[in-house]
Amino acid sequence: MTTLAFNHEEIIPRQLKPELFELDGISRESVEAHYKLYEGYVNKRNEILGKLGAVDLGAANQVYSEFRALKVELSFAIGGIKNHEIYFEHLGGHGGDPAGIFGDLVRRDFGSTANWQADLKATGLAARGWAWTAYDWDEARLFNYIGDAQNTFPVWNATPLVALDVYEHAYFIDFATDRASYIDAFLNNLD
């Protein structure tokens, strides 16, 4: 018996908006290299879903099976897609105090923009891969969550609103090992 994963549509990478090539402190070269990694996640998602269409469901096993391996790696690829789409979408602005509902929530839940940014920066410095500001629907508030990989530490029933990529590929071209300065540049480019 095979899985119904064959009934999927391949997706293509979203195009980058022009503002991403003119960020303050984050170079075009860095954005272009970063985008290539995102394209790779999209391609692997499509490839894995294709392979799932032919895998033997009867051989599924929690220790090791082709089915398990494909499902785990699919979660990594999809995490990479979703994280990067949020990341690229909210860059291209001028940072500062957030406005609207998000700004209201930041001030309510962190006390100030400075407090939110300090907490997000510390979260990013502590993370191995990602830091997210998400709205937690169960707690009815914003919180900065940590992630070590594309598919680790998901917080169910929380909507990521800011995705800070702190893998080395996000900052090494421009900042070498100075992750803190990259996070400052990220915050200064938020829209």
Side-chain angles (χ1 to χ4, degrees):
M1 181 175 187
T2 59
T3 180
L4 296 178
F6 66 86
N7 191 15
H8 77 279
E9 291 184 31
E10 290 201 354
I11 61 172
I12 60 170
R14 292 182 185 175
Q15 293 299 310
L16 293 178
K17 56 188 179 180
E19 296 87 355
L20 291 174
F21 298 114
E22 299 175 11
L23 298 175
D24 184 20
I26 301 174
S27 69
R28 179 184 188 105
E29 179 185 14
S30 184
V31 170
E32 288 172 344
H34 202 159
Y35 184 74
K36 286 180 184 177
L37 292 169
Y38 160 69
E39 289 177 311
Y41 291 123
V42 170
N43 293 336
K44 282 299 174 185
R45 176 248 184 223
N46 293 336
E47 178 184 337
I48 292 167
L49 283 174
K51 288 181 178 184
L52 276 169
V55 72
D56 180 6
L57 297 178
N61 183 285
Q62 77 276 10
V63 176
Y64 174 79
S65 65
E66 183 180 11
F67 184 75
R68 175 183 163 69
L70 289 169
K71 287 282 189 158
V72 168
E73 299 313 326
L74 179 63
S75 73
F76 190 84
I78 290 174
I81 293 167
K82 293 176 185 271
N83 291 333
H84 283 95
E85 287 177 351
I86 296 168
Y87 176 84
F88 290 132
E89 184 58 33
H90 60 47
L91 286 176
H94 303 290
D97 290 340
I101 294 171
F102 182 72
D104 294 342
L105 290 171
V106 163
R107 288 182 287 284
R108 183 193 76 184
D109 297 338
F110 290 93
S112 70
T113 299
N115 290 344
W116 164 65
Q117 289 180 339
D119 189 82
L120 182 59
K121 184 174 182 176
T123 304
L125 290 171
R128 294 179 182 149
W130 288 90
W132 302 280
T133 300
Y135 185 81
D136 188 311
W137 294 95
D138 296 320
E139 295 193 20
R141 69 183 185 110
L142 292 177
F143 193 82
N144 291 325
Y145 291 102
I146 195 169
D148 282 348
Q150 307 292 5
N151 59 348
T152 58
F153 312 131
V155 179
W156 306 113
N157 207 28
T159 303
L161 302 171
V162 174
L164 168 57
D165 190 343
V166 292
Y167 276 112
E168 287 82 4
H169 67 254
Y171 60 87
F172 206 83
I173 290 173
D174 297 325
F175 297 96
T177 60
D178 187 0
R179 185 186 290 190
S181 291
Y182 156 72
I183 294 172
D184 291 337
F186 170 86
L187 291 168
N188 289 334
N189 284 283
L190 278 179
D191 183 357

